[in-house]
Amino acid sequence: MSMFKPSMLTVALMAAGVSHFSVVAEEEKAAKKEDVEVIEVRGISRSIIASIDKKRYSDTVAEVVDAGDLASLPDVSIADSLSRLPGVTAVRASGQSSQLNIRGMNGDFIQTTLNGREQASTSGYTAGSRWISFDQYPSELINQAAVYKSPKASLVEGGVAATVELKTANPLEAKEQHNFNSSVRYSYNDAASDVGADSSGERISFSYQGKFLDETLGFGIGAAFLNQPNNAIDFSAHKPTRVKKEVLDENGNVIEKIDNWQDFDGDGVTENSLDGFQLRSAKGSDERVGIMSTLVYQPNDALKVQFDYFRSEFESEDKKSGLNIEGISKNVNELYTISNVAVNDEFLTAGDVVVTDTAGPWLEMRSEDQSTESTTDSFGLGLEYVTDKWELKLDFAHSEGEKTRRDMIASMHAYEYSTITLEDGSSALAWQELRNQTFGFEQRAKNSPILTLGTDYTDLSHMRLGDWEQFPHEYTDELDSFKVDFKYHVEAGFISSIEVGARWSDREFTDKRSTFRWGQREGQNGYQMADGTIVTNKGCEFNHQNHACMPHKLDGFVTVEHTRGFDYLELDLVGIADAVFGPGNYDAQQTWEHNWTLIESGAVKEEVLAGYVMANIDTEVGDIPVTGNFGVRVVKTDTKSVGIQQIQGGEVGDKIVDDNGVERTDYRHVEYGPEYTDTLPSLNLNFRISDTDQIRFAAAKVMGRPPVYQLRGGAGSWADTANDGTSQRYNVWSKGNPNLDPFRADQFDLSYERYFEDGGAFVAAIFWKDIETLIKSTTYLEGEVDWSSIGLEAPEGFVEGQYQTSHNIEGGYIKGVELAYTTMFDNLPGIFSGLGFNANYSYSDSEIGVEGGASFNDAKLALPGLSKNVWSATIFWNIDAFTTHLNVRYRDEYVYEGATPGGSAFAMADEYTVVDWQGTYDFENGLQAVLQINNLTDEPNTTNYGTALATGEYKEFGRQYFLGFNYSF
């Protein structure tokens, strides 16, 4: 039985071929083909209509972005295009979309493939990860993107939320024998000058597709270059570190109350507080080079051989300078005093502070370099042989990603100097932080706080370098795969064909950590004797190179910068390091004194073998045509964590030597992890109840493997003082748990779809997912868990202390509703006939939650990435040679797990609305002029820690303007 008959508009699209963004609905242009009027549809209307058409004839529940020509999409990356689809949202990084969230789930639940091949990841910020940074993929080189919300057995497993499939163009399917597209755009950011960054940038792309040897050989190549400002006015809060909670026994009885909040306002009631603030100007640039190439040989209808290559290089310069205040969580009244206190929702939100001790809160100018370099390489060779009865496909693929982050930090403090007399009567030059420093703060909702300073921290007469350190990160992800797919066409009742296949993959993630540290973030304290000997009271940590441990002058290495009335120091990090330490004398190392550098440097290996069988359906139930598929995919996963673990008792481990030649034998090399098998049945049914209406139903069991950073088996320990104040306490930390279970879920989808003659559509869908388990990172405090029950043992004479680990917890449901509507107003008179409207709305809810930790007093938070309400609306208008469209995207608040000063934490991301606009004029000779404005309303990113006045982050990125030309022939 044949598939659905194409609509009039589908025929029109087929006749028009792949066309570039220009004008639409040239009403006088028509053609005849089998007595069907064919209208050439172009521009954004063509993309929207073609995307709807792809969705209509998909055999799964899917959303599609169809670009048509390469270089047709207006977006900076494919993430922006995908974020306009129903149920899809994006996390904005550096002002642009990067990580996707789908149906209330973050990137950890999303599988991504390019031309059907799983992709290596370069998304990690503090550790390796699986989710894809979609800003790595230039929209100019992606021909089509699909979000498969329901799986089928032949799809690569891993998409609990969805599978995102990116496709590049096949040159043999190009409209002409030789096809060329190019785009040149100048960009301007209107906020870059506020932080002293370069406002200008450019975006250049070209692609060529050609057919040779009587159209049996196709060659395509494309390149896209992006250079744009990466700037922000950046406020970040140091997360709360205080805990107030009740410890319960197994029966739910309170056995201990922990309250280390402080009474800031003196009313006898304790309050929580942020630990401090960072107010910085961030400036740099994003530079991305993407290359795509395809070679296709198809000598006849039976045989096709295709080689695909994709490479993306992304350098993000990310330098920040400004003020850092830290240590408010330290003991008030002992180290500092606070007056004019304001408290809201049990949170300290305002006060005037006087620092009375050098161990108290510290104030400093800080410069950082968090620049990253990412490279992704993917290539694959596919062979396809087709007969009237069967089809055979073989595919070999390799994908690898590499990412580095500099993570350089320097702190500059205000010092005072004095001459002191030593016991032998000699004099010495002494230094310490400036005494009685003062500051005031007043928190504001969805904005940076108002800060007042009692000291001029740009005055070089007392400002000195007190700390310089770096923590470089290196991550790699390498993936090899081979798959075979066989399809046999049958006439067996309701089954039209049978598919079977298998896939093998071998993947390895690696992390490498190291560090160099000199000085103290809290500032230095010491003196220098007449003979030059330096004595430190509070000096230089881990100073293996024996660099002079005294504050250094900043003259010649800093400039005083200004941003909106705020003055700050911007430091030449490398220049001052060369001067103070000497070139090459501050290289990062792996050292036992920072044992985490060796423990966190490891690998996760993953070997997967999968097989499937699937039947495709083409039948009728009564008079209703029914299509779809049902099948099962069986997946065997073998995971191994490779690293080192500290051993207990008197055991002797492996001899491991650090970069300073220090040897230890209390650690052992380990390689361990589980093997598990998942059976994943799936069903997709599409009931065509009329020529314009259809109902879809889908059911499946899905799985996704745990985040890589939570699978590492490395572990270490540290000792401190127990809660009794005298006993020694032994604590154990680990970076993960290789024995974690994967995400597994049962899911159901039901949708109603109506398609209009003008190419529009209305879709209403509901979905439900039942996730078996999630993963939780937990710190068990002293006495909260019996170590013998989890296989741990404290050394003799030590109290069992903290144990940090990850483990599985019970999951729950996620459910939601999605609505989408598209219409063309071609029945309106005159120029209004070119109007069109596209909108979608999604609602998601879940019973799943996570513990907020100290940031939220262990309150239960929603699933990270889940926004209850999300919508997107686009109005587009084509007037002769001019076309324009305006898109508005809204996202409700959601829990975000992201980087914070000194680590990562949960925060509540506030709702936001982003507005983008584009206008295009077509000269009808292959040349188009384009004007585009992204973030039209200059929407900031803001987060909070549970109350509006506990702002966690406030970032302004500015508006991004693009002006340029497209040219094609």
Side-chain angles (χ1 to χ4, degrees), residues 301-303 383-394 485-490 496-499:
D301 291 339
L303 177 65
L383 295 90
E384 181 177 338
Y385 193 83
V386 179
T387 72
D388 292 339
K389 277 292 185 181
W390 52 270
E391 303 173 17
L392 176 65
K393 296 180 182 179
L394 304 176
D485 299 279
F486 181 79
K487 183 176 183 178
Y488 186 74
H489 298 275
V490 298
S496 62
S497 61
I498 300 290
E499 297 184 42

Side-chain angles (χ1 to χ4, degrees), residues 28 217 263 299 328 348 356 368 415 668 782 814 841 886 963:
E28 301 301 324
L217 180 67
D263 182 9
I328 298 176
L348 174 68
T356 57
E368 302 181 29
Y415 285 92
R668 177 182 296 137
E782 177 185 330
I814 300 175
Y841 165 80
L886 180 76
L963 175 64

Side-chain angles (χ1 to χ4, degrees), residues 15 42 91 164 170 223 275 371 456 493 606 650 686-687 831 834 861-862 884 929 932 953 956:
R42 297 185 291 175
V91 177
V164 178
N170 180 350
D275 191 47
S371 300
D456 182 0
E606 194 171 82
N686 188 13
F687 300 87
I831 62 172
L861 305 179
T884 182
Q932 179 180 349
E953 176 185 84
E956 289 184 24

Side-chain angles (χ1 to χ4, degrees), residues 924-968:
E924 299 185 352
N925 58 1
L927 183 67
Q928 294 176 330
V930 180
L931 174 62
Q932 179 180 349
I933 307 174
N934 291 345
N935 195 24
L936 189 64
T937 57
D938 194 11
E939 184 80 355
N941 268 10
T942 62
T943 67
N944 66 75
Y945 288 112
T947 180
L949 289 177
T951 301
E953 176 185 84
Y954 175 85
K955 288 186 179 181
E956 289 184 24
F957 305 106
R959 301 170 186 85
Q960 192 81 8
Y961 298 83
F962 294 92
L963 175 64
F965 297 92
N966 298 334
Y967 182 68
S968 63

Side-chain angles (χ1 to χ4, degrees), residues 682-925:
S682 61
L683 170 69
N684 290 277
L685 296 175
N686 188 13
F687 300 87
R688 189 186 181 195
I689 56 179
S690 73
D691 289 342
T692 58
D693 301 87
Q694 56 192 40
I695 293 176
R696 292 185 189 271
F697 174 76
K701 188 176 184 64
V702 294
M703 64 86 70
R705 300 175 186 90
V708 179
Y709 65 88
Q710 292 181 316
L711 287 174
R712 293 182 299 184
S717 66
W718 80 98
D720 58 9
T721 303
N723 288 341
D724 61 13
T726 57
S727 302
Q728 288 185 298
R729 182 169 62 187
Y730 185 73
N731 307 280
V732 174
W733 65 275
S734 70
K735 293 306 296 182
N737 179 359
N739 294 308
L740 292 171
D741 290 330
F743 303 117
R744 297 185 175 101
D746 296 315
Q747 66 175 46
F748 300 91
D749 287 84
L750 180 65
S751 67
Y752 165 74
E753 303 169 5
R754 163 162 280 195
Y755 296 93
F756 311 136
E757 282 296 319
D758 64 359
F762 170 74
V763 178
I766 58 175
F767 68 88
W768 184 84
K769 296 176 184 284
D770 185 11
I771 298 178
E772 292 182 8
T773 61
L774 295 173
I775 297 169
K776 177 184 177 183
S777 295
T778 299
T779 297
Y780 294 104
L781 301 178
E782 177 185 330
E784 285 190 333
V785 63
D786 179 9
W787 279 25
S788 62
S789 66
I790 54 177
L792 292 179
E793 179 183 353
E796 186 176 350
F798 282 78
V799 173
E800 297 173 354
Q802 288 189 28
Y803 175 48
Q804 301 174 2
T805 188
S806 297
H807 60 96
N808 289 103
I809 59 173
E810 184 179 357
Y813 70 77
I814 300 175
K815 61 184 179 181
V817 177
E818 295 172 350
L819 303 173
Y821 178 71
T822 301
T823 187
M824 312 293 171
F825 299 103
D826 52 8
N827 59 337
L828 294 178
I831 62 172
F832 298 104
S833 63
L835 275 171
F837 179 72
N838 169 264
N840 62 73
Y841 165 80
S842 63
Y843 172 84
S844 301
D845 192 19
S846 176
E847 66 178 348
I848 305 173
V850 295
E851 289 185 7
S855 302
F856 290 87
N857 194 29
D858 284 332
K860 187 175 181 180
L861 305 179
L863 184 68
L866 188 147
S867 293
K868 285 197 171 183
N869 299 285
V870 175
W871 58 263
S872 174
T874 301
I875 184 167
F876 45 96
W877 195 2
N878 302 277
I879 310 170
D880 296 327
F882 178 73
T883 181
T884 182
H885 70 271
L886 180 76
N887 174 259
V888 183
R889 302 189 303 280
Y890 170 83
R891 180 174 191 178
D892 214 346
E893 64 177 10
Y894 62 99
V895 175
Y896 173 61
E897 184 175 13
T900 62
S904 61
F906 289 126
M908 185 64 68
D910 293 311
E911 63 182 4
Y912 65 76
T913 304
V914 177
V915 182
D916 298 332
W917 174 84
Q918 177 176 298
T920 303
Y921 185 84
D922 195 316
F923 294 96
E924 299 185 352
N925 58 1

